[in-house]
């Protein structure tokens, strides 16, 4: 029976089949994610969609099988197809979003649960020691006393970032500073992390970490990188914060510090959800006012604009010496070239 069914790609322009996909997802209590880059379906002899699944980046999502066909192995066929698609893309570390009642199916396939949200969504990965290994490595950096956390993209590291770190570090015995690892910014992760480490090197109680795929990544929070304010998915923020809660428990973090965000709707939604969710698990959230100079907040987007314009004096006024020295060096030429070609550099 299973061999009779074929998994086929659904093109975004195929409005009829995509409409059937939406109808099936809705019937199964799932809303199609706005962030998808591949969708497939299984159809019956009358071309009715009876099963569907999708990808975004290295995640599998929007998986559903018509209730009349459940138990016939269609979900397994979908997952096999989607994993093949991911492997062809070169993605071997995979993540899955699924409903709570489907989680056991993926666990039986070898996926491991990372976190769940509101009893409605489960987030899993296909590595037995992925998140568990990440937590163990973090645990090795735990120190006695109070602990806080800051998460930043630092694209690039500015005096505003430095101000946030100083305020946070003064309030706790140890500050765990997570640099977003996703390489979706104009300044590459390797450079961003290096500039953060150089910019906080004098603060003995600050420990710098890579966020990996577990904090503000395309797996946990794609809205952050797509910068599509209209399509901001609050569920992504809740998932990211649910994962962070497990990380915080491993490090004994009871305070999280965030910069005030008056302009970015995406970050604003994230901060609001954080302020709602983290106190419920005993983590206090501190919203730190932006550092200002000349009556304007110091922001990375202002620095990127200045770099694009070749205005190094403005850059010098807004960043630590270590950040300025990098951008004034020959080593920064490839990064500066990317910034010059980027057009609008504000929303990176």
């Amino acid at each position: 029976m299973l061999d009779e069914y074929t998994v086929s790609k659904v093109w975004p322009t195929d409005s009829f089949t995509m409409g059937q996909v939406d109808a099936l997802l809705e019937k199964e209590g799932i809303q199609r994610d706005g962030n998808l880059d591949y969708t497939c379906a299984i159809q019956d002899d009358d071309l009715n969609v009876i099963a569907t699944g999708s990808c975004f980046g290295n995640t599998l999502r929007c998986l559903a099988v018509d209730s009349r066909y459940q138990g016939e192995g269609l979900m397994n066929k979908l997952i096999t197809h989607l994993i093949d698609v991911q492997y062809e893309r070169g993605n071997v570390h995979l993540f899955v979003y699924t409903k709570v009642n489907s989680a056991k199916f993926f666990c039986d396939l070898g996926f491991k649960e990372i976190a769940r949200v509101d009893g409605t969504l489960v987030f899993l990965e296909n590595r037995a020691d992925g998140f568990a290994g990440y937590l163990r490595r973090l645990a090795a950096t735990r120190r006695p006393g109070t602990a806080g956390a800051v998460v930043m993209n630092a694209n690039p590291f500015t005096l505003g970032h430095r101000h946030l770190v100083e305020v946070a570090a003064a309030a706790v015995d140890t500050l765990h500073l997570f640099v977003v690892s996703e390489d979706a910014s104009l300044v590459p992760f390797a450079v961003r992390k290096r500039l953060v480490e150089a910019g906080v090197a004098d603060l003995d109680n600050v420990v710098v970490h890579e966020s990996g795929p577990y904090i503000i990544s395309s797996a946990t929070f794609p809205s952050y990188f797509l910068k599509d304010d209209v399509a901001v998915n609050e569920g992504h923020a809740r998932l990211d914060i649910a994962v962070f809660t497990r990380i915080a428990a491993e490090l004994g973090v009871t305070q999280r510090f965030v910069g005030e965000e008056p302009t970015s709707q995406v970050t604003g939604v994230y901060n609001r959800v954080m302020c709602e969710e983290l106190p419920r698990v005993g983590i206090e959230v501190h919203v730190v006012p932006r550092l200002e100079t000349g009556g304007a907040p110091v922001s990375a987007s202002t620095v990127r604009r200045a770099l694009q314009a070749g205005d190094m004096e403005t850059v010098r006024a807004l960043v630590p010496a270590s950040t300025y020295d990098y951008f004034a060096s020959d080593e920064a030429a490839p990064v500066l070239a990317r910034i010059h070609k980027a057009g609008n550099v504000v929303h990176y």
Side-chain angles (χ1 to χ4, degrees):
M1 183 73 174
L2 187 60
D3 292 338
E4 297 177 11
Y5 296 113
T6 302
V7 185
S8 302
K9 177 176 181 177
V10 181
W11 296 91
T13 52
D14 183 354
S15 57
F16 176 76
T17 307
M18 198 60 81
Q20 288 197 326
V21 165
D22 287 343
L24 174 58
L25 290 172
E26 185 177 350
K27 181 181 175 184
E28 298 302 318
I30 301 169
Q31 182 175 356
R32 179 156 62 94
D33 199 310
N35 306 301
L36 300 174
D37 52 31
Y38 181 87
T39 295
C40 65
I42 298 174
Q43 296 169 298
D44 64 13
D45 292 339
D46 297 319
L47 299 184
N48 297 308
V49 172
I50 58 174
T52 184
S54 296
C55 301
F56 175 76
N58 61 345
T59 65
L60 314 183
R61 53 183 77 195
C62 298
L63 300 148
V65 174
D66 189 306
S67 56
R68 294 170 297 176
Y69 293 85
Q70 289 175 8
E72 295 190 19
L74 298 189
M75 181 65 81
N76 201 10
K77 200 172 184 73
L78 279 176
I79 297 302
T80 300
H81 174 82
L82 290 172
I83 289 176
D84 287 345
V85 168
Q86 291 285 15
Y87 284 176
E88 287 173 10
R89 293 175 166 184
N91 294 331
V92 294
H93 189 184
L94 305 180
F95 299 87
V96 173
Y97 296 88
T98 189
K99 295 193 299 182
V100 172
N101 59 7
S102 302
K104 184 180 184 303
F105 174 85
F106 290 96
C107 291
D108 289 345
L109 290 177
F111 282 80
K112 302 295 181 183
E113 181 175 332
I114 296 173
R116 55 179 63 204
V117 180
D118 297 334
T120 60
L121 171 71
V122 181
F123 184 52
L124 310 97
E125 66 180 336
N126 68 336
R127 286 189 179 173
D129 200 39
F131 190 52
Y134 180 71
L135 291 179
R136 280 200 308 276
R137 292 189 293 275
L138 290 180
T141 68
R142 183 167 178 166
R143 299 176 181 178
T146 58
V150 167
V151 179
M152 62 175 57
N153 196 30
N155 181 35
F157 189 72
T158 69
L159 290 174
H161 294 115
R162 167 72 190 201
H163 172 70
L164 172 62
V165 174
E166 285 180 353
V167 170
V172 292
D173 295 315
T174 303
L175 179 68
H176 295 278
L177 197 171
F178 293 87
V179 182
V180 173
S181 303
E182 193 85 7
D183 243 332
S185 301
L186 287 171
V187 182
F189 167 66
V191 174
R192 288 187 287 109
K193 184 187 178 193
R194 196 176 101 198
L195 296 183
V196 169
E197 289 174 331
V200 303
D202 59 311
L203 301 174
D204 293 338
N205 67 330
V206 176
V207 182
V208 178
H209 303 282
E210 299 182 9
S211 69
Y214 303 110
I215 305 177
I216 306 187
S217 70
S218 59
T220 63
F221 197 25
S223 302
Y224 181 86
F225 301 98
L226 297 174
K227 303 300 185 189
D228 184 353
D229 289 351
V230 177
V232 170
N233 189 335
E234 201 170 290
H236 295 157
R238 294 191 186 281
L239 172 61
D240 190 85
I241 290 163
V243 177
F244 173 78
T245 297
R246 290 198 59 192
I247 290 169
E250 202 68 37
L251 291 170
V253 166
T254 56
Q255 300 182 64
R256 181 158 171 179
F257 300 82
V258 298
E260 192 176 35
E261 190 47 71
T263 57
S264 168
Q265 184 179 344
V266 178
T267 310
V269 167
Y270 184 78
N271 286 358
R272 175 178 59 77
V273 173
M274 193 186 316
C275 289
E276 293 171 4
E277 296 297 324
L278 289 184
R280 295 175 183 171
V281 293
I283 300 174
E284 188 176 358
V285 180
H286 304 272
V287 180
V288 179
R290 288 280 198 96
L291 177 70
E292 293 191 354
T293 180
V298 175
S299 73
S301 60
T302 303
V303 173
R304 293 193 298 273
R305 281 198 298 264
L307 288 169
Q308 189 177 53
D311 181 1
M312 294 304 290
E313 286 310 304
T314 294
V315 173
R316 188 195 296 271
L318 299 177
V319 303
S322 49
T323 298
Y324 176 83
D325 290 345
Y326 168 77
F327 283 107
S329 72
D330 293 340
E331 185 186 358
V335 177
L336 290 172
R338 288 177 65 183
I339 293 173
H340 290 150
K341 293 177 184 175
N344 182 0
V345 298
V346 174
H347 296 295
Y348 275 85

